[in-house]
Amino acid sequence: MKEEQIVFGLGSNKGNRAEFLKKAQLLLVDEIGDFISASSVYQTAAWGFIGADFYNQVLILNTRFSAQVCLEKGQMIEKKLGRTEKTHDQKYADRNIDIDILFYGDQVIQLAHLMIPHPKIKERIFVLAPLNELIPQFAHPIHQKQISELFQECQDSSEIIKLNEQI
């Protein structure tokens, strides 16, 4: 299989959030592929539920694994870091770590358990801000707009704070 660029969205709002992001990043590199880049860390209010503020970050790797294998490895890492439940029926809850695949190259994958690009990217400023930092010219394979355009058009007015913490 040829190498593909995979873009992950990471989030944490329980415990030592910065440490969970750092551990997730290290485990993803160990399990999935070569590190390309990581965005700054952004702090935002919980999205879709009342909870502690999240730390969010985007991570880009090169991988030789399929998107399905990357999903399985990401879920294994979530469990390793203490995540006990996944979101079901739009019911969100606090979590040590959340690992989402945002993009897998420019591929569109629509399966019951895996949708790439992540279907809510254009609705979430906490995803678009770090994406815009790293890959502003990348064209969303479904919306056919650059990340910078989606960032500018995003209707999510949540406050987002770029943190100085390097992870």
Side-chain angles (χ1 to χ4, degrees):
M1 175 171 224
K2 77 176 186 101
E3 200 162 71
E4 196 68 71
Q5 195 168 84
I6 187 166
V7 181
F8 290 99
L10 309 177
S12 175
N13 80 328
K14 277 175 78 173
N16 186 335
R17 299 167 291 180
E19 190 63 25
F20 279 117
L21 292 180
K22 184 177 187 175
K23 286 179 180 176
Q25 188 179 119
L26 292 171
L27 289 167
L28 285 164
V29 169
D30 283 349
E31 292 288 330
I32 292 176
D34 298 324
F35 177 85
I36 301 299
S37 60
S39 72
S40 300
V41 176
Y42 293 82
Q43 181 177 329
T44 57
W47 195 92
F49 72 103
I50 296 172
D53 283 357
F54 271 84
Y55 279 12
N56 294 288
Q57 184 178 41
V58 165
L59 176 67
I60 302 175
L61 304 177
N62 277 340
T63 187
R64 293 190 182 277
F65 294 111
S66 69
Q68 175 63 40
V69 169
C70 291
L71 173 68
E72 292 166 5
K73 287 178 177 284
Q75 290 174 339
M76 177 197 68
I77 291 167
E78 286 178 331
K79 286 180 185 164
K80 188 173 194 172
L81 294 178
R83 178 133 187 216
T84 55
E85 296 180 33
K86 291 296 285 179
T87 301
H88 296 287
D89 300 323
Q90 302 295 311
K91 293 185 177 138
Y92 300 102
D94 293 321
R95 47 204 172 267
N96 297 346
I97 194 69
D98 185 34
I99 301 172
D100 290 329
I101 299 173
L102 303 176
F103 297 107
Y104 185 80
D106 60 1
Q107 293 187 33
V108 175
I109 301 169
Q110 298 195 351
L111 304 170
H113 63 285
L114 178 62
M115 295 187 73
I116 298 174
H118 191 287
K120 297 195 181 286
I121 288 173
K122 73 177 203 165
E123 301 170 22
R124 297 175 171 177
I125 198 73
F126 68 84
V127 173
L128 286 167
L131 280 173
N132 192 54
E133 177 185 328
L134 293 181
I135 52 172
Q137 274 74 49
F138 180 77
H140 191 291
I142 293 175
H143 301 302
Q144 297 299 307
K145 290 184 178 185
Q146 292 183 342
I147 294 299
S148 59
E149 292 176 85
L150 294 174
F151 178 66
Q152 292 300 318
E153 295 171 359
C154 185
Q155 299 295 307
D156 182 356
S157 60
S158 304
E159 181 181 17
I160 185 162
I161 302 165
K162 185 176 180 178
L163 301 178
N164 291 329
E165 293 186 42
Q166 290 298 322
I167 294 180

